[in-house]
Amino acid sequence: MTCMMQAGLWAATQVFMDHPPTGPPSQDDFSEVLTQVHEGFELGTLAGPAFAWLRRSLGLAEEDYQAALGPGGPYLQFLSTSKSKASFFLSHDQRFFLKTQGRREVQVLLAHLPRYVQHLQRHPHSLLARLLGVHSLRVDRGKKTYFIIMQSVFYPAGRISERYDIKGCEVSRWVEPAPEGSPLVLVLKDLNFQGKTINLGPQRSWFLRQMELDTTFLRELNVLDYSLLMAFQCLHEDEKGLGSSLVFRTARSVEGAQSPEESETQNRRLLPDTPNALHILDGPEQRYFLGVVDLATVYGLRKRLEHLWKTLRYPSRTFSTVSPARYARRLCQWVEAHTE
């Protein structure tokens, strides 16, 4: 399957290299579906022009995107601690993350895509994961498999020591840690983080404000069950202190310089000079990789029924299925309580 994904993505990206976007996406761009037939399979590209424009606005060269996701090297598959039945892959350079999704989740993502793009324009340093593509794969006229592509929050991963998936609740939020010396790389959860804090120093205020802005946006979309991904990396002595003077100064976007008033409204910060800077914050002693992922679960009838069932099943414990307003508020409270 991954060989088909690679061949299909190579051809799909070539279309937008040959015909790059000339301006912001139109309404038709958000609904376009491109189907390319290959030997033994077909690959669909959903809202391709909109995602091509988004990748360009992020400064991502299509040639680099194509090289990372094409047949140049095998994808890395990994086992997740998630309860979903999704499959997870990384590009061979670990820069891009691929995840299979259900049809309903894909419909939600595409329905929200125009507002998602608008939110990133208003808040260029948002912590929301950067969604870069949505595709379908059909093998021998069988059932379609949908998958998304996004920037990996945990990149570059070479010196990362701990990884966490945080939802701000208790039920099913523990992962048995790998034995000492084990080569397994696990993403731990809320209960594994008990007794720990994130020491951001002067960047804490920016982080709390951005979490408020992003969760407010997700609440307005009626979305819940998203996660704050976190990873830790110890800074070398010559790296410490470089980020402390960068907070709350005006940053330059791809569109040009911003006034201090615009910068404050957009909650900008000066980004570190490192790959994946949008998801990296440096504290006094550690570098933190931070991003909000899994943005496709809406609070519909199924989730409302699940909330009622869990209320009876776990009367004195916190669980993930709550109203979007409560979910957003609780995650922000978790962040405030666990940062300094």
Side-chain angles (χ1 to χ4, degrees):
M1 183 177 79
T2 57
C3 290
M4 294 177 186
M5 291 166 71
Q6 288 181 317
L9 289 173
W10 178 276
T13 308
Q14 189 64 47
V15 170
F16 301 105
M17 292 170 63
D18 295 339
H19 305 282
T22 56
S26 66
Q27 187 173 353
D28 289 341
D29 291 335
F30 285 110
S31 58
E32 180 178 299
V33 178
L34 169 67
T35 301
Q36 293 172 294
V37 179
H38 301 262
E39 185 175 352
F41 72 96
E42 62 182 43
L43 188 104
T45 300
L46 289 74
F51 282 114
W53 180 87
L54 181 57
R55 293 193 295 269
R56 187 174 184 178
S57 72
L58 294 170
L60 174 57
E62 293 291 85
E63 293 81 2
D64 294 341
Y65 187 68
Q66 185 186 56
L69 294 168
Y75 290 165
L76 307 175
Q77 185 175 12
F78 60 95
L79 299 176
S80 170
T81 55
S82 169
K83 292 187 295 182
S84 74
K85 297 179 180 179
S87 297
F88 301 85
F89 306 94
L90 284 170
S91 59
H92 64 85
D93 60 359
Q94 302 188 42
R95 187 177 178 185
F96 303 111
F97 178 87
L98 301 91
K99 177 185 177 183
T100 59
Q101 297 263 221
R103 182 169 175 267
R104 171 60 179 158
E105 293 169 314
V106 165
Q107 290 175 332
V108 169
L109 285 173
L110 294 176
H112 291 165
L113 185 59
R115 293 181 65 182
Y116 169 82
V117 170
Q118 187 179 59
H119 180 75
L120 296 186
Q121 287 179 293
R122 289 175 176 170
H123 305 288
H125 297 165
S126 167
L127 291 165
L128 298 184
R130 294 320 192 258
L131 190 62
L132 304 175
V134 175
H135 299 272
S136 64
L137 178 70
R138 188 201 298 268
V139 181
D140 294 329
R141 299 184 181 276
K143 185 179 179 181
K144 286 183 180 180
T145 297
Y146 292 92
F147 64 96
I148 65 170
I149 305 169
M150 66 182 192
Q151 286 187 181
S152 173
V153 174
F154 299 152
Y155 175 82
R159 289 162 50 198
I160 289 178
S161 58
E162 299 175 65
R163 297 167 174 83
Y164 293 89
D165 176 311
I166 300 297
K167 291 183 183 291
C169 59
E170 301 170 296
V171 174
S172 301
R173 303 305 297 165
W174 167 265
V175 173
E176 193 63 37
E180 189 171 349
S182 170
L184 288 176
V185 176
L186 293 180
V187 178
L188 304 176
K189 297 185 178 180
D190 300 63
L191 296 180
N192 300 95
F193 198 78
Q194 286 186 338
K196 301 183 180 182
T197 57
I198 309 165
N199 185 5
L200 292 173
Q203 303 229 47
R204 179 176 184 266
S205 296
W206 177 88
F207 178 54
L208 295 181
R209 175 59 178 156
Q210 193 58 54
M211 283 295 298
E212 180 185 359
L213 291 168
D214 289 334
T215 57
T216 296
F217 168 69
L218 295 174
R219 183 194 70 207
E220 291 170 353
L221 294 182
N222 203 34
V223 166
L224 72 158
D225 219 18
Y226 43 89
S227 296
L228 172 65
L229 291 187
M230 304 189 309
F232 299 171
Q233 172 187 306
C234 288
L235 292 172
H236 292 154
E237 285 300 321
D238 59 351
E239 297 172 322
K240 294 179 181 178
L242 295 179
S244 61
S245 62
L246 302 182
V247 186
F248 306 132
R249 293 189 184 174
T250 303
R252 181 177 295 271
S253 72
V254 292
E255 293 84 9
Q258 304 289 313
S259 70
E261 292 79 11
E262 289 174 314
S263 180
E264 183 176 349
T265 301
Q266 295 181 330
N267 198 42
R268 289 172 176 266
R269 61 186 175 103
L270 267 183
L271 301 174
D273 185 16
T274 182
N276 201 27
L278 288 170
H279 289 299
I280 290 175
L281 273 78
D282 285 348
E285 300 290 333
Q286 296 202 78
R287 170 164 290 174
Y288 298 95
F289 297 75
L290 300 158
V292 178
V293 301
D294 296 336
L295 314 178
T297 302
V298 296
Y299 195 53
L301 178 60
R302 180 179 297 180
K303 284 296 177 181
R304 291 173 189 273
L305 293 174
E306 184 179 332
H307 169 74
L308 291 174
W309 179 83
K310 287 186 175 180
T311 300
L312 298 173
R313 179 71 176 83
Y314 307 106
S316 60
R317 302 180 66 191
T318 57
F319 46 84
S320 62
T321 312
V322 294
S323 71
R326 185 177 175 189
Y327 195 97
R329 182 171 62 251
R330 189 174 64 189
L331 186 56
C332 286
Q333 288 171 345
W334 187 97
V335 168
E336 188 167 6
H338 290 81
T339 54
E340 57 185 26

